[in-house]
Amino acid sequence: MKRNLHADLAICEAATPGPLSADADEWPGNENLRYWVNTHEDGIGCFLAYEDAKFFAEAREGWPEAMRIAIAAEAENKRLRTELKVESLRAAEWEGAAIGCVEMWRKLREVVLTNATGGGGENINDYDIMLNVMDDIESEVSEDGAA
């Protein structure tokens, strides 16, 4: 069963305020009530084992603090998961856009290649120049590892 940290924290905060202390001296007269947990004013509980009394006393301030930390961590985890989903969607959009750009580049290059003369000197036309520029760009992109 998953704990409700907000409800658990409310229970802790409703309890007798701390600090509490566990009395290490054994209380005589009752073997079931041996170690008291005290406020500055009065005893509020008694335990069979000192370790239990110590745990109870320390938990009064320790558990609420641990719960506040856990609640904050859960909120941060939720925020980061949401941010990750948003960024993943953005990355997918950019990847799709990049694929679209590559496809358009290839189509443009086909048109330019079809209209280029492939000649030299006086036979050169604007498409030949564009093809050379496109080849240079592709070469630079390939060298950068982006293609």
Side-chain angles (χ1 to χ4, degrees):
M1 173 177 89
K2 184 174 178 183
R3 302 290 309 195
N4 179 332
L5 294 178
H6 293 282
D8 288 344
L9 182 57
I11 291 168
C12 289
E13 290 174 343
T16 301
L20 305 179
S21 62
D23 191 347
D25 295 328
E26 200 171 317
W27 191 57
N30 186 335
E31 61 184 53
N32 291 321
L33 302 173
R34 297 162 97 183
Y35 298 96
W36 280 94
V37 173
N38 306 298
T39 65
H40 287 295
E41 301 158 356
D42 199 7
I44 63 166
C46 202
F47 294 85
L48 183 59
Y50 172 73
E51 292 78 15
D52 294 337
K54 180 77 172 159
F55 172 77
F56 182 86
E58 293 296 326
R60 173 60 190 98
E61 292 183 4
W63 275 112
E65 179 62 19
M67 285 180 222
R68 283 189 281 278
I69 291 168
I71 289 168
E74 284 181 345
E76 178 68 358
N77 181 295
K78 183 177 180 179
R79 185 190 71 75
L80 290 171
R81 285 179 176 274
T82 300
E83 188 176 319
L84 179 61
K85 285 178 186 175
V86 168
E87 292 304 321
S88 294
L89 290 172
R90 282 189 187 143
E93 289 172 2
W94 277 102
E95 184 177 348
I99 290 169
C101 286
V102 169
E103 289 172 7
M104 291 303 292
W105 180 268
R106 288 185 181 139
K107 287 178 184 177
L108 177 62
R109 192 172 189 292
E110 278 182 42
V111 170
V112 170
L113 184 60
T114 301
N115 291 292
T117 64
E122 293 178 17
N123 292 331
I124 238 174
N125 65 18
D126 290 341
Y127 289 102
D128 290 304
I129 295 168
M130 287 192 313
L131 184 61
N132 286 337
V133 170
M134 290 177 85
D135 287 344
D136 289 346
I137 291 171
E138 280 184 4
S139 174
E140 287 176 24
V141 169
S142 294
E143 288 173 7
D144 291 342

